Amino acid sequence: DIDAAKLAALADAGCRTVRCDLADPAERDRLAEIADGADFLVNSAGVIVLKPIFEVTVDDWRRAQAVNAEATFFLCQQIGPRMRPGGAIVNLSASSAKLASTVEAAAYAASKTTILSITRSFAYALAPRPIRVNAICPGIVDTPMQDLVLERIAPMRGTTAAALAEARTKSVPLGRGAQPAECAGLVWFLLGAEAGYMTGQAINYTGGMVTW
């Protein structure tokens, strides 16, 4: 994380933590050195830009791409070849990579679409090692980022966060958002032996909201 304080709980639990700004090439280089010989890589860092689509600036665009897409590409490039054979990479994309109805998140959606192409390319490039590379496209997940989306977009649409949340939930056939632990379970599956014949895939995790 870019915020060392947010890593404190993991450090207390015995995990090795690294404060790192993934938008900074030098920081990515440092992280790749630390991760040398890893079995798994999960590219889950992300930022979201929420603006009316006609107000998105070049800086907004570059910020979303730097953390979401650029970091994913170069961490796959730098860490993938140094992973132990038989390992796996999971990249976190989003349902917005396929369903762009939330136009206020257009820059974010574009960066998440790029991740799908990155995933396919590295699935081919790392297959000889063999390292598997897959992506997840989560839909509505109950996280602080989801709360931020509702709070920021609701005023743009002249509604309330509660009303927007209700409308979004109605668009999900299963009638609810996902819990972070559910997404973590899918990540764990893709890293494990049960997914040993899967690579280059983009798995929808949207409660039926996206089916292609």
Side-chain angles (χ1 to χ4, degrees):
D1 201 296
I2 194 171
D3 185 348
K6 291 182 178 179
L7 298 172
L10 291 173
D12 291 344
C15 297
R16 182 179 183 184
T17 64
V18 181
R19 185 210 167 278
C20 184
D21 180 359
L22 294 179
D24 183 338
E27 290 282 276
R28 292 195 299 262
D29 291 345
R30 181 171 64 89
L31 185 62
E33 290 290 337
I34 293 170
D36 189 32
D39 293 296
F40 306 122
L41 169 63
V42 180
N43 283 307
S44 61
V47 297
I48 191 164
V49 175
L50 298 168
K51 274 189 173 181
I53 192 170
F54 296 108
E55 297 178 13
V56 174
T57 67
V58 172
D59 285 343
D60 293 330
W61 177 270
R62 289 176 176 170
R63 177 170 172 260
Q65 290 288 339
V67 177
N68 298 345
E70 180 182 305
T72 295
F73 182 95
F74 287 104
L75 288 178
C76 286
Q77 182 198 67
Q78 293 175 276
I79 295 176
R82 301 160 78 162
M83 292 170 64
R84 287 193 279 231
I89 296 172
V90 176
N91 297 324
L92 270 290
S93 180
S95 61
S96 59
K98 299 183 177 183
L99 183 66
S101 56
T102 305
V103 295
E104 299 90 345
Y108 170 83
S111 69
K112 291 296 185 176
T113 303
T114 304
I115 288 174
L116 300 185
S117 178
I118 291 169
T119 298
R120 291 189 292 267
S121 294
F122 278 102
Y124 278 100
L126 292 171
R129 285 196 58 78
I131 301 291
R132 297 179 299 103
V133 188
N134 292 291
I136 296 175
C137 298
I140 299 170
V141 184
D142 294 331
T143 65
M145 182 179 284
Q146 184 60 218
D147 295 337
L148 179 67
V149 169
L150 296 173
E151 291 169 6
R152 293 273 183 87
I153 292 180
M156 299 181 200
R157 297 188 181 183
T159 186
T160 65
L164 181 58
E166 182 179 359
R168 283 164 61 84
T169 301
K170 285 181 179 178
S171 70
V172 180
L174 287 182
R176 66 175 181 86
Q179 294 300 309
E182 292 178 298
C183 289
L186 178 56
V187 172
W188 186 248
F189 166 76
L190 289 173
L191 295 176
E194 294 84 355
Y197 199 56
M198 292 178 66
T199 195
Q201 303 304 301
I203 310 300
N204 294 325
Y205 206 65
T206 66
M209 185 171 62
V210 178
T211 58
W212 56 273

